Amino acid sequence: RAPLPATVASMSQSPSTAAAPLTEAQVAHLQSWVGKSESQHDQINPMPVAGLSATLDRNDAAPQPGDTLPPLWHWMNFVAIAPQSQLGADGHPARGGFLPPVPLPRRMWAGGRLHWNADNPIQIGQSLERVSRIASVDHKVGRSGELLFVLVQHEYRNERGVALTEE
């Protein structure tokens, strides 16, 4: 068998760093987060778009209001902001706010699915609302130890309705 990529292997728990196994009560508590939602607002500004274009060494025209945002560039928006005193050891906002307070030592983004509404593209200059909802919390045990999969669904809405769904 081929070794796992370093990014996946770093998510494993060795016996010396493994936390105590999650109890049924802890898992039930974490699953109580299902259905929780939050809403955030952001503006699609041209300057970050121009900056990412330059970073990627693209020869794009200067972004103008009304231009369609390239796919995935919405990830420059809705950045989590928290005072340093409220950050976890991994540099992200401490667990237990919107996301459940998972007591496992590492977080990982395991993948996603995106669906763009072709009739309603995200455009530079638009105000967007992102509505996020915890869709599921699944506990599994693998070779490297315990895992908790938290599925978050996001809807990005502009003045014309849903422009993008992501999970």
Side-chain angles (χ1 to χ4, degrees):
R1 231 180 201 182
L4 293 174
T7 55
V8 175
S10 70
M11 293 305 300
S12 66
Q13 295 180 23
S14 65
S16 62
T17 62
L22 294 175
T23 66
E24 286 184 34
Q26 287 175 307
V27 172
H29 174 67
L30 297 169
Q31 289 173 333
S32 74
W33 255 252
V34 173
K36 185 174 184 173
S37 65
E38 73 174 7
S39 176
Q40 296 178 324
H41 295 268
D42 206 344
Q43 182 84 24
I44 305 299
N45 292 310
M47 191 58 83
V49 174
L52 184 55
S53 181
T55 299
L56 297 175
D57 207 19
R58 293 170 47 134
N59 192 21
D60 295 336
Q64 300 297 317
D67 289 350
T68 297
L69 191 68
L72 305 179
W73 290 27
H74 69 285
W75 287 338
M76 291 188 294
N77 293 81
F78 301 99
V79 176
I81 297 173
Q84 186 173 356
S85 61
Q86 295 176 15
L87 297 178
D90 60 4
H92 292 276
R95 303 166 196 190
F98 172 64
L99 293 173
V102 178
L104 300 176
R106 296 177 186 89
R107 297 187 219 196
M108 170 177 129
W109 181 61
R113 291 179 289 271
L114 296 98
H115 180 282
W116 284 266
N117 181 348
D119 296 328
N120 187 18
I122 297 174
Q123 297 175 331
I124 295 169
Q126 287 182 332
S127 292
L128 287 183
E129 176 186 28
R130 182 181 76 182
V131 178
S132 304
R133 185 178 70 84
I134 306 289
S136 65
V137 176
D138 294 315
H139 178 243
K140 299 186 185 218
V141 178
R143 288 182 309 182
S144 62
E146 293 189 274
L147 302 167
L148 201 76
F149 293 91
V150 179
L151 177 61
V152 180
Q153 295 174 330
H154 304 286
E155 280 190 351
Y156 296 84
R157 302 174 182 166
N158 58 24
E159 66 278 354
R160 294 180 55 210
V162 175
L164 169 65
T165 57
E166 176 179 11
E167 63 178 30

